[in-house]
Amino acid sequence: MHKFAIGILRGESLYTGLGTNFRITENEHKRGKTYDLFLGEFLEEKECENANFVNELPIPIYDLKKKLMSIADRLFDKSINLEQIKTSEMGVTVDNNIPYFNELLTRVVFPAEELYLETLRDGNNIDLKESVIELEKILSGGCEKLKNLHLKYLFIDEFQDTDDVQIEIFQKLQKGINAECKLFVVGDLKQSIYRFRGAKLNAFQKLQNGKKKEWSHHRLNRNYRTDQRLLSLFDEIFAKMGSKNILPYSGKADRLVSDVISDAKDDELLVELPCHGKENEKILELLNETILSEVTKLKELMKNKSLSKEERTIAILVRSNWQVENVVKAAAKKNINVEISTGGDLFQLPSTLDLYKLVLAISHNTSPVYLVNFIESNYTDLKLDYQKFHCMSEKEKLKELKNILNAFFVKRMNMSWESVLNEVYTQPVLYALKNIIESLRPWDNYTQIPEKKRLYIANHEYLMEKMIKFTHVDTLTLNQIIEYLGINILTGQRQLSRSVEVDDEGVHVICSTVHKSKGLEYGTVILPYTFEDISDIKKVKLETNYNDNSLSYTVLFENGIRERNSNYSEGKEVDEQIAEEARILYVALTRSIRNCIWINNIDSTPQISWGSLLEG
């Protein structure tokens, strides 16, 4: 073992150093160790050339490894095959804080990913992120069996979110099936908000491949939910963004029309609330006042009119998860219950993820990774001292974690961790899990709000029902539970979750990121954070792409050091960032049914923001 590989593994490894960023899967643990190996070899070689090399590194080793893995992740997110990237296509480093960064890519990232994927294949496995790349390879080599499908149509929804490789796959599938197979694609470029996954505004042109005349084009401009007066106000905003070439919007061709007229007054449709927001608390105070005011209005309206759940829902839409947390915490202080689970994602709910961590810890009870995952779940209220683990061997870590779990289970269930494991493997698995869950009561650690506890319990019970239907209750095994949960969680399967709010016929207040709200609709939309500068290049912490035989990247490390290459254009990134933010704003606004409210921080003077776009 190389000395620097040991140093990374024991001291600063993202996946093996017992930090707070653990992944659920053992595969990520293996992948992290592969990076440790190649990065260790690289550092040792550099140390031979310069005895003080590691001490002169401008960034921590653990952060270097983290960012290298993130670069690979970003490229995989865009379905880019690392094998096709050549050294000559990498440009040169610009900032020269890490002048050997290209060398890190060729000597650490590429071989580490190759070895990791090769190891998976040897075990007859494949990483989910590689599946699209492998499919493209298969189709490129020809697939005669496709002709046996005899399909007349391939239907593709949300086409605006596809990347170049996915588009090529669709073309090859169509060609491989037969010449008569037709593609039917549906998408809206104004709602293309997955640039980080490789989505581009030329998706339809790329699919048509210069043969636009061979395609039949249809526009769907009819809106069946939103007040026509509100759509007219939106049209003015969108048209101005279109005239600035930051939104693909061209007047009548893109204008949404509706026959709906709500009970909202004209001056309630689109409301700007000015606020002196030098302090975040001021904005949140105004937000809480606005929520209470809108709730009161809806309750009055509901006395004389029946409203659907969507119509009586107030949605606070934001850009980032930290903003969701701020909104929920501030509302809780005023006893306002803001929901963050909007339904539709049973396999991504805390109740499901917690159970997955529990069964994985039981199954992999000799792995520190899985034991830490479990300890960090809502099944325990334990707080680990991570600094204590940094100098321990894997064996020492495991021993310490088992001691912690033994003490915890003796206190909560009057039995040791080893006894709990024994019960799971000697008793019917559902009976044993039921005892653990009822004793540990994860919903108590999840929240102190009664309604959310009931929601957690209801969806946990619903999940158990789904698993029992998956196989016969008497033959259900621990491995089957792990397989069922793993497939549904890791592949992002969608399944409606249960909703058990106390007042299901009353007004609902939710907070969500705009990305999660896509495809949904709400009576009232509130945008509290409209003042952030959407042209700020400093917001870009890591971006990489491979396009037209050119690899571009920019990386910002935790200590403020940045490295980028000559293929990366800050000017182009700013333009694309502004345009994408315009599209995200379009999605946010068009979630509204009755009215939309936005808070304008008049103490903020960004170059361009959602607020400035809304003001026109």
Side-chain angles (χ1 to χ4, degrees):
M1 175 74 76
H2 296 279
K3 64 177 180 178
F4 292 109
I6 295 173
I8 299 168
L9 281 167
R10 291 188 180 174
E12 298 178 308
S13 171
L14 178 64
Y15 299 101
T16 59
L18 294 181
T20 57
N21 291 316
F22 274 88
R23 303 290 180 88
I24 288 177
T25 64
E26 178 68 18
N27 283 345
E28 283 300 317
H29 179 52
K30 292 177 182 177
R31 182 177 173 230
K33 283 194 170 185
T34 307
Y35 270 79
D36 290 334
L37 174 64
F38 285 97
L39 185 53
E41 288 178 349
F42 179 86
L43 294 176
E44 185 171 323
E45 213 171 285
K46 289 294 183 182
E47 190 84 344
C48 290
E49 299 171 8
N50 172 11
N52 205 36
F53 178 81
V54 172
N55 293 328
E56 293 174 355
L57 274 173
I59 52 176
I61 294 175
Y62 75 88
D63 194 30
L64 175 60
K65 172 188 168 184
K66 178 181 176 181
K67 294 304 192 295
L68 291 174
M69 296 180 75
S70 296
I71 283 178
D73 287 335
R74 286 295 179 91
L75 292 171
F76 282 129
D77 284 342
K78 299 171 183 178
S79 306
I80 293 169
N81 182 5
L82 303 187
E83 296 175 0
Q84 68 190 42
I85 301 174
K86 300 181 179 68
T87 305
S88 59
E89 300 170 337
M90 294 182 183
V92 296
T93 53
V94 172
D95 301 286
N96 283 320
N97 292 312
I98 311 173
Y100 41 83
F101 200 83
N102 283 352
E103 196 177 352
L104 282 165
L105 295 177
T106 57
R107 295 189 51 194
V108 178
V109 176
F110 298 168
E113 292 295 341
E114 183 180 1
L115 179 59
Y116 162 66
L117 296 173
E118 185 180 319
T119 303
L120 287 184
R121 293 190 198 103
D122 289 344
N124 199 31
N125 295 314
I126 185 173
D127 195 294
L128 182 63
K129 62 178 176 280
E130 193 195 10
S131 57
V132 173
I133 296 172
E134 287 299 311
L135 177 57
E136 195 278 332
K137 289 180 183 177
I138 292 169
L139 293 173
S140 294
C143 189
E144 291 295 322
K145 291 185 178 180
L146 286 175
K147 295 180 180 179
N148 298 329
L149 295 177
H150 303 297
L151 298 179
K152 293 183 178 180
Y153 299 96
L154 286 177
F155 296 91
I156 307 164
D157 197 9
E158 302 291 352
F159 188 75
Q160 75 278 349
D161 296 328
T162 54
D163 61 44
D164 287 351
V165 176
Q166 291 169 342
I167 293 171
E168 290 173 8
I169 285 175
F170 298 143
Q171 292 170 325
K172 290 171 182 176
L173 277 172
Q174 179 192 26
K175 183 178 179 180
I177 293 170
N178 60 63
E180 300 301 318
C181 179
K182 292 181 173 59
L183 286 175
F184 187 99
V185 300
V186 178
D188 182 0
L189 289 178
K190 298 182 294 299
Q191 298 191 54
S192 177
I193 59 175
Y194 289 96
R195 186 166 65 99
F196 64 91
R197 287 194 205 153
K200 299 176 184 176
L201 290 185
N202 68 346
F204 287 95
Q205 289 94 323
K206 184 174 178 62
L207 180 68
Q208 292 169 150
N209 197 25
K211 301 176 182 177
K212 185 176 180 179
K213 292 183 179 179
E214 295 182 7
W215 287 75
S216 175
H217 299 81
H218 305 273
R219 287 186 177 272
L220 301 176
N221 293 57
R222 173 66 58 179
N223 182 299
Y224 295 95
R225 61 171 178 250
T226 304
D227 189 306
Q228 61 180 236
R229 297 168 297 165
L230 185 56
L231 288 179
S232 180
L233 294 173
F234 287 163
D235 176 58
E236 294 178 20
I237 296 170
F238 300 151
K240 288 175 182 176
M241 288 195 282
S243 66
K244 296 175 184 177
N245 293 319
I246 60 174
L247 184 72
Y249 191 91
S250 55
K252 187 176 180 180
D254 291 293
R255 185 179 303 132
L256 295 172
V257 295
S258 170
D259 295 327
V260 177
I261 299 179
S262 71
D263 294 282
K265 298 175 183 178
D266 287 349
D267 61 357
E268 295 175 333
L269 294 167
L270 182 60
V271 178
E272 172 194 351
L273 297 179
C275 173
H276 290 284
K278 287 184 179 179
E279 298 178 2
N280 188 48
E281 287 73 17
K282 295 292 184 182
I283 292 170
L284 294 174
E285 285 176 14
L286 178 57
L287 174 61
N288 285 336
E289 292 171 6
T290 305
I291 292 171
L292 293 174
S293 174
E294 291 300 307
V295 168
T296 301
K297 290 178 183 178
L298 279 172
K299 286 181 177 179
E300 285 297 315
L301 180 61
M302 290 164 61
K303 289 179 180 179
N304 302 310
K305 183 179 181 180
S306 176
L307 299 178
S308 66
K309 182 175 180 180
E310 290 77 18
E311 291 173 319
R312 51 189 166 83
T313 295
I314 300 168
I316 304 144
L317 300 185
V318 297
R319 286 288 287 108
S320 307
N321 288 324
W322 68 265
Q323 294 172 333
V324 174
E325 293 176 10
N326 282 354
V327 168
V328 173
K329 288 179 181 177
K333 291 178 181 178
K334 298 294 183 181
N335 295 316
I336 302 172
N337 180 29
V338 176
E339 305 164 29
I340 58 175
S341 296
T342 59
D345 291 320
L346 175 66
F347 296 114
Q348 303 304 323
L349 292 180
S351 52
T352 302
L353 299 178
D354 285 339
L355 179 62
Y356 191 41
K357 292 174 184 178
L358 168 62
V359 294
L360 283 175
I362 292 171
S363 176
H364 300 77
N365 54 74
T366 59
S367 167
V369 174
Y370 291 106
L371 297 187
V372 169
N373 267 336
F374 170 66
I375 289 172
E376 289 183 339
S377 76
N378 289 307
Y379 277 95
T380 86
D381 54 1
L382 298 171
K383 303 297 180 185
L384 291 175
D385 180 5
Y386 293 110
Q387 286 297 122
K388 180 180 178 181
F389 290 91
H390 278 173
C391 295
M392 289 184 179
S393 66
E394 292 293 298
K395 187 175 181 181
E396 289 170 335
K397 291 173 187 175
L398 180 60
K399 183 179 179 181
E400 179 64 19
L401 289 169
K402 284 185 175 180
N403 289 338
I404 291 171
L405 287 172
N406 278 331
F408 173 77
F409 277 98
V410 166
K411 181 179 179 181
R412 297 296 297 270
M413 294 184 67
N414 201 30
M415 65 171 66
S416 68
W417 169 238
E418 296 297 332
S419 299
V420 170
L421 295 175
N422 186 59
E423 282 214 350
V424 173
Y425 285 107
T426 58
Q427 303 281 351
V429 66
L430 288 182
Y431 173 80
L433 289 177
K434 185 172 181 288
N435 285 342
I436 296 172
I437 294 163
E438 290 181 351
S439 297
L440 301 187
R441 298 173 61 86
W443 45 87
D444 287 337
N445 291 322
Y446 170 62
T447 181
Q448 297 303 309
I449 300 173
E451 293 89 345
K452 292 186 177 181
K453 285 187 182 183
R454 283 191 278 272
L455 192 64
Y456 185 106
I457 294 169
N459 279 298
H460 167 74
E461 292 174 347
Y462 182 41
L463 177 67
M464 299 302 284
E465 291 173 14
K466 297 287 292 181
M467 284 195 298
I468 290 170
K469 288 181 180 179
F470 173 67
T471 185
H472 196 278
V473 63
D474 295 329
T475 60
L476 188 63
T477 66
L478 183 66
N479 285 339
Q480 286 176 321
I481 293 174
I482 291 172
E483 178 186 21
Y484 177 83
L485 292 174
I487 290 173
N488 285 291
I489 290 171
L490 299 176
T491 59
Q493 295 300 306
R494 293 186 64 82
Q495 171 66 46
L496 285 175
S497 56
R498 284 181 176 170
S499 178
V500 292
E501 294 85 357
V502 172
D503 185 9
D504 195 46
E505 298 302 316
V507 178
H508 294 269
V509 182
I510 73 161
C511 186
S512 169
T513 61
V514 179
H515 282 82
K516 289 182 181 178
S517 75
K518 192 176 177 186
L520 303 175
E521 55 191 58
Y522 312 103
T524 298
V525 166
I526 303 176
L527 305 177
Y529 295 103
T530 64
F531 49 87
E532 292 187 347
D533 191 339
I534 60 176
S535 68
D536 185 4
I537 195 68
K538 294 178 183 177
K539 290 174 59 178
V540 182
K541 291 182 171 57
L542 190 149
E543 181 54 51
T544 183
N545 200 6
Y546 180 71
N547 192 35
D548 296 329
N549 299 319
S550 174
L551 177 71
S552 61
Y553 62 77
T554 181
V555 184
L556 180 66
F557 293 90
E558 291 177 0
N559 59 3
I561 296 293
R562 183 181 290 276
E563 191 55 81
R564 57 192 162 142
N565 70 348
S566 54
N567 295 333
Y568 179 78
S569 168
E570 284 196 352
K572 182 179 179 182
E573 174 59 32
V574 168
D575 291 342
E576 291 189 358
Q577 185 172 292
I578 291 172
E580 183 175 39
E581 287 293 334
R583 299 193 297 272
I584 294 172
L585 177 59
Y586 177 93
V587 172
L589 293 175
T590 53
R591 300 310 94 203
S592 312
I593 296 175
R594 182 187 309 103
N595 64 322
C596 179
I597 301 167
W598 64 283
I599 296 177
N600 184 10
N601 181 359
I602 56 180
D603 292 332
S604 177
T605 56
Q607 182 176 338
I608 181 171
S609 65
W610 279 8
S612 64
L613 294 177
L614 287 166
E615 287 178 323

